[in-house]
Amino acid sequence: MKPISLTFLAAALVAALPASAESVAPLRWTGCAASNTSPGDTTARTECASLVVPRDYANPNAGTLNLDVVRVIATGERGERHDGALLLEPDEFDASIERSVPAMAATWLNGGGSWHNVARRLDLVGLAERRMDDAGGRDCLSATARLPRHASLGTDASFTNFMVAEDLARAIATACQNDPTHAHIGMRPRVEDMERLREALGQPKLHLLGVGRGGWVATRYAERYPQNVGRMVLDSSWDADGSIAEAVEARVDERGRTIRRAVSALVAEPDRFAWGTDAAVINQRLGKLPSSVYATWIRSIRSADDLSAALAMARLLERDAAMSTQGLRDSLPTIQLATHHSDDRAVRAAANRLLQALEADRTGDPYGFGPRALGLAPALVATAFAARCNDGAWGTTHAHWRERTRELHASWPAGVGNETFQGMVCSEWPGAFGHTSVPVLDHAPRFLMLHAEFDDEAPFRNAAMMLQGHGNASMVVARGLHSHGVITRTDRPCLSEAAGRFLADGNLPAAKLTNCRLPIPTP
């Protein structure tokens, strides 16, 4: 028999591969632009490249997109152990990868212990996300900028206010159809972009650090490509077992619980704060705040001090609803805020924080994305709409979201802002991907979850349910901490050390759930 040429056989095998398996060209690394300054000792090790991806993976001939890539090279010398690349999968509204990746790498150098090994063994990589076009200010949010704005849906449940909100939601969804990228943003194309990055890096496995929504996306990558996942850390992750709509509503629940805890602390010590012992009266006073003020402050109230400050300024606003933030600030020195001097000082500090929040946002967060979206370019906010709408099933009627707003308000009267406005937009959104199912992670490697006990953006109770639903998950929770994004917290060494050990060597805590408490002060 005539022997078969190995060259011929290889060519035949390549021809038989599906189109999706075609090889991806290696990245061409160059120095980063001068404006992309890197902190500390990371400057010389920071490189930039561009990854070419299909606009539509289902139709590869429909054009391509160029996504920026940033890499901070490991500090280890040539010939030393190198464990590949760790992809930083960011949360919504995080800083650009040109800033966030070098900043994260700098924290490794300052972390001590296992973090030095992380810095020596792993390249840190960031991949830019797909974006709606800003088109010189002609993005789909700017196109609706002159339309009437609704008051907070949490404080004004009138028919007129809902109609204004629904008209705006319909206009946003309609305008966004003009952007050809609107249907190609979200978790599903992101997962394929991540896999394409892994191939372009030439890595057999990709280590993952997902923060917030980035953790939600990372679990989907681990489900689709379990064999390509190395070590995976989910920091303050959204509940991967829930939908996007459930993640949004979970924030309302958590905010309501936060306000309830603050009210309970306030009425438990009437001699300190002088607001009485009736929680219902406290909530009524809070609800009398002007709509935009209320929408901003309920996101900032976390303690009895915060709540006492809000109530004191609410009393001032009852006398003059048009009082400016400067007017409030000028009036504070004329009133006593607490019985004891130390408490009075703490409440005044809280009042200044609330006023700063109000100065930063007089709009009342009309889209319901929260304070991290403040001041961002409209195209970035439109991108968040596209990702959330495409990644979930939101129904097709505004009536559902009108009723859902009322139901949430009945359960958490102090917790509802404009979150359900997103449901109104998404119920009109063209080309959503549909339902997202619970990820099956049985074939993925064991992974580590990090969480604060109190997290307004990704509530711990949802993360705890996710922990119990996956046998290969472990968690370290920072008890008593109110925060989102905790991996670099230096005040919780047991948490950061656990993350460093896992990323450096793959060593997980012995227990499935580890409680990390504040260090006991040294006498």
Side-chain angles (χ1 to χ4, degrees), residues 383-396:
T383 299
F385 268 122
R388 291 194 179 190
C389 293
N390 284 332
D391 283 344
W394 297 81
T396 57

Side-chain angles (χ1 to χ4, degrees), residues 266-291:
L266 199 72
V267 301
E269 298 186 87
D271 292 339
R272 289 181 60 193
F273 298 104
W275 291 108
T277 58
D278 192 331
V281 172
I282 298 296
N283 283 312
Q284 289 172 2
R285 285 182 176 276
L286 194 61
K288 290 180 180 179
L289 283 166
S291 179

Side-chain angles (χ1 to χ4, degrees), residues 31-82:
C32 298
S35 60
N36 299 332
T37 56
S38 301
D41 296 332
T42 64
T43 303
R45 297 184 290 112
T46 303
E47 300 177 328
C48 291
S50 181
L51 178 70
V52 180
V53 301
R55 180 186 298 273
D56 182 357
Y57 279 94
N59 183 13
N61 296 323
T64 60
L65 300 171
N66 293 316
L67 302 180
D68 290 338
V69 184
V70 174
R71 174 175 70 175
V72 177
I73 300 172
T75 61
E77 300 293 337
R78 184 183 297 274
E80 291 186 344
R81 172 178 167 180
H82 187 261

Side-chain angles (χ1 to χ4, degrees), residues 204-373:
K205 293 184 182 295
L206 195 61
H207 305 292
L208 300 172
L209 169 55
V211 183
R213 184 181 184 276
W216 191 84
V217 173
T219 61
R220 266 58 188 188
Y221 179 86
E223 177 186 36
R224 179 154 172 74
Y225 297 105
Q227 72 281 5
N228 297 340
V229 176
R231 299 186 277 276
M232 180 168 71
V233 175
L234 308 181
D235 180 2
S236 309
S237 175
W238 292 8
D239 177 13
D241 295 347
S243 68
I244 298 294
E246 288 170 334
V248 171
E249 292 190 6
R251 296 184 180 189
V252 174
D253 296 349
E254 183 65 17
R255 187 183 305 125
R257 292 187 181 91
T258 299
I259 298 294
R260 180 182 290 177
R261 286 191 293 267
V263 171
S264 297
L266 199 72
V267 301
E269 298 186 87
D271 292 339
R272 289 181 60 193
F273 298 104
W275 291 108
T277 58
D278 192 331
V281 172
I282 298 296
N283 283 312
Q284 289 172 2
R285 285 182 176 276
L286 194 61
K288 290 180 180 179
L289 283 166
S291 179
S292 62
V293 176
Y294 176 89
T296 299
W297 282 356
I298 61 170
R299 300 193 308 264
S300 303
I301 294 174
R302 295 180 174 180
S303 66
D305 292 336
D306 296 332
L307 181 56
S308 185
L311 292 171
M313 290 187 286
R315 182 177 286 168
L316 293 172
L317 288 167
E318 285 178 19
R319 302 171 190 165
D320 181 5
M323 185 178 290
S324 66
T325 53
Q326 188 57 49
L328 287 169
R329 185 173 278 111
D330 292 341
S331 298
L332 285 175
T334 67
I335 59 176
Q336 184 176 0
L337 298 180
T339 305
H340 303 294
H341 177 70
S342 59
D343 292 332
D344 188 87
R345 187 170 59 246
V347 175
R348 290 186 189 281
N352 282 324
R353 291 193 297 271
L354 293 178
L355 289 172
Q356 288 171 2
L358 195 59
E359 288 170 337
D361 177 24
R362 267 289 189 179
T363 67
D365 187 26
Y367 305 136
F369 285 116
R372 296 200 311 125

Side-chain angles (χ1 to χ4, degrees), residues 409-431:
H409 189 270
S411 300
W412 305 105
V416 182
N418 281 315
E419 292 79 11
T420 51
F421 178 76
Q422 296 166 38
M424 295 177 184
V425 174
C426 293
S427 66
E428 299 272 356
W429 193 262

